[in-house]
């Protein structure tokens, strides 16, 4: 049995919008920058199978919570595996099993961690069959990107930049962050991120998006390089609102935020108004990610108290 694990990541500057004119899959319209979430992980196991086709099942293993995959989700996962098999010249059929260490119903997009783990596990399989020499992380990230764009960023720890040059780790000297996820919706999304990537191209606000992202990326690099937390927090806040505004102004519009999202955002705004903010961001979903800097431990404890009515998945840093 061959296996691999990979972490999730949260974008501080979002990958939102796919170039529909490029045939190569998952080519973004803009650069993105993420922080890898080591505590939210996926595991993929690969076993030889005597069946006539590849198959997938939820992994049952102590410490891992089985994933529920829709028919479409299963197809997408197997399609990526078949792409990787072809890439490395792997023959035969296999049984894939996968699981996350976070609850499936927590509304956390697990495609980044699970596609990254699938890419790594298939690479291990190719190595075990002597079908490949060592491959760099950037090359593996680019292969993973073919299955799920954001998964390429999960191949790196810390901060990852994905731009026209590809994927690379950046900011090794930038601050380590402590992550909390405020779970405000446990349902599957009504609009998938694949659909969102295409629909936002119809938004009147899409014009200028690439320039806005470039300016924010530059500002965020400056902020982290100068340890200017306030300015970094402002950029990250603006960026998730920009992405959600694209959703709200697409044709037809769609919404992920719910009443609790607004309640928590207002509460954060009130409680942090006299303080240096943590990084607050959202994915294509209703849940809120908060990333705290060193020195913000008391603020984190305080917000945990204020948000005690909600489920929080909290990173524990020893
Ligand atoms: O990798 P995908 O196609 O699931 O896209 C995910 C895009 C967002 O999560 C909404 C933003 C991002 O950059 O991760």
């Amino acid at each position: 049995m061959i296996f691999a694990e990979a972490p999730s990541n949260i974008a501080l500057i979002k990958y939102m919008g796919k170039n529909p004119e490029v045939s190569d899959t998952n080519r973004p319209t803009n650069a993105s920058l993420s922080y890898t979430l080591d505590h939210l992980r996926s595991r993929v196991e690969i076993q030889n199978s005597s069946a006539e086709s590849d198959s997938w099942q939820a992994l049952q293993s102590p410490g891992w919570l089985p994933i529920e995959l829709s028919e479409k989700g299963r197809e997408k996962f197997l399609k990526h595996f078949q792409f990787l098999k072809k890439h490395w010249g792997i023959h035969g059929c296999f049984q894939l099993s996968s699981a996350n260490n976070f609850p499936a119903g927590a509304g956390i997009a697990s495609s980044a961690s699970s596609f990254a783990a699938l890419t790594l596990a298939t690479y291990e399989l190719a190595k075990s069959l002597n079908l490949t020499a060592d491959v760099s992380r950037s090359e593996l990230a680019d292969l993973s990107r073919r299955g799920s764009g954001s998964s390429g960023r999960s191949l790196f720890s810390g901060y990852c930049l994905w731009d026209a040059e590809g994927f690379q780790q950046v900011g090794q000297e930038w601050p380590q962050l402590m992550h909390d996820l405020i779970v405000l919706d446990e349902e599957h999304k009504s609009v998938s991120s694949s659909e969102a990537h295409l629909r936002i191209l119809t938004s009147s606000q899409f014009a200028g998006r690439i320039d806005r992202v470039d300016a924010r990326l530059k500002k965020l690099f400056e902020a982290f390089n100068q340890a200017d937390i306030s300015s970094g927090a402002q950029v990250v806040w603006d960026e998730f609102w920009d992405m959600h505004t694209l959703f709200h102004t697409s044709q037809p519009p769609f919404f992920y935020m719910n009443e609790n999202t607004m309640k928590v955002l207002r509460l954060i705004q009130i409680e942090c108004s006299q303080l240096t903010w943590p990084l607050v961001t959202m994915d294509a979903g209703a849940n809120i990610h908060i990333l705290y800097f060193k020195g913000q431990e008391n603020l984190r404890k305080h917000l945990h108290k204020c948000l005690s009515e909600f489920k929080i998945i909290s990173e524990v840093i020893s």
Side-chain angles (χ1 to χ4, degrees):
M1 186 264 290
I2 301 277
F3 75 93
E5 290 177 23
S8 187
N9 71 78
I10 178 71
L12 306 177
I13 301 291
K14 310 292 178 183
Y15 153 47
M16 183 41 59
K18 279 185 206 179
N19 193 335
E21 279 152 28
V22 181
S23 57
D24 190 3
T25 43
N26 301 334
R27 287 286 183 194
T29 49
N30 61 264
S32 59
L33 177 76
S34 62
Y35 188 72
T36 294
L37 304 173
D38 287 321
H39 64 126
L40 303 178
R41 307 181 70 77
S42 295
R43 178 184 171 96
V44 171
E45 294 185 359
I46 305 180
Q47 254 150 342
N48 284 321
S49 158
S50 53
E52 289 189 354
S53 56
D54 296 320
S55 58
W56 175 87
Q57 67 181 16
L59 171 69
Q60 316 275 349
S61 181
W64 294 90
L65 304 166
I67 301 176
E68 282 166 40
L69 272 188
S70 64
E71 198 50 44
K72 236 177 149 183
R74 221 176 262 225
E75 266 171 33
K76 201 176 160 194
F77 205 62
L78 288 170
K79 196 173 156 212
H80 184 55
F81 181 54
Q82 276 138 22
F83 158 75
L84 294 168
K85 272 172 63 183
K86 196 166 167 214
H87 177 81
W88 278 305
I90 301 171
H91 296 290
C93 292
F94 298 87
Q95 163 87 64
L96 304 180
S97 319
S98 59
N100 298 330
N101 70 351
F102 48 87
I108 309 168
S110 60
S111 70
S113 50
S114 51
F115 277 81
L118 175 58
T119 304
L120 287 174
T122 314
Y123 171 52
E124 290 304 323
L125 176 64
K127 278 206 293 192
S128 73
L129 298 169
N130 290 323
L131 292 170
T132 179
D134 286 349
V135 172
S136 73
R137 282 271 144 171
S138 303
E139 283 173 73
L140 287 173
D142 198 54
L143 289 172
S144 207
R145 184 261 306 166
R146 306 286 289 259
S148 151
S150 58
S151 75
R153 298 186 312 232
S154 281
L155 271 288
F156 298 88
S157 53
Y159 297 87
C160 178
L161 175 69
W162 176 21
D163 64 10
E165 310 284 302
F167 297 84
Q168 58 174 304
Q169 190 186 30
V170 290
Q172 266 141 306
E173 65 292 358
W174 291 354
Q176 193 188 353
L177 303 168
M178 291 169 287
H179 176 253
D180 278 349
L181 176 73
I182 322 295
V183 181
L184 303 168
D185 187 359
E186 311 213 359
E187 298 299 313
H188 279 287
K189 304 189 239 195
S190 54
V191 176
S192 67
S193 56
S194 307
E195 169 68 18
H197 282 298
L198 298 177
R199 225 194 273 178
I200 56 105
L201 303 176
T202 65
S203 162
S204 58
Q205 304 303 304
F206 186 69
R209 165 76 183 151
I210 295 167
D211 293 341
R212 294 196 296 279
V213 167
D214 283 351
R216 278 194 201 114
L217 204 50
K218 196 163 165 253
K219 215 167 159 191
L220 196 54
F221 265 73
E222 276 165 18
F224 282 147
N225 283 339
Q226 293 161 13
D228 180 353
I229 297 177
S230 303
S231 165
Q234 181 71 56
V235 171
V236 171
W237 175 265
D238 290 353
E239 169 62 8
F240 93 73
W241 277 105
D242 192 355
M243 180 175 76
H244 279 258
T245 304
L246 293 175
F247 302 151
H248 304 166
T249 52
S250 287
Q251 291 172 23
F254 55 104
F255 300 84
Y256 295 110
M257 293 180 173
N258 62 27
E259 281 169 25
N260 281 334
T261 310
M262 291 312 296
K263 189 172 169 183
V264 173
L265 290 174
R266 270 194 215 103
L267 190 141
I268 293 171
Q269 182 264 317
I270 292 165
E271 297 301 327
C272 297
S273 63
Q274 305 299 319
L275 305 167
T276 303
W277 285 46
L279 304 180
V280 179
T281 190
M282 292 180 67
D283 231 322
N287 305 317
I288 298 176
H289 295 255
I290 309 183
L291 297 128
Y292 298 90
F293 295 90
K294 214 171 173 13
Q296 290 184 318
E297 292 80 3
N298 286 340
L299 172 62
R300 189 185 194 197
K301 271 191 213 142
H302 177 67
L303 285 182
H304 278 194
K305 264 194 217 141
C306 299
L307 296 169
S308 59
E309 67 182 287
F310 301 108
K311 176 155 128 194
I312 303 181
I313 297 182
S314 217
E315 179 174 17
V316 180
I317 294 193
S318 48

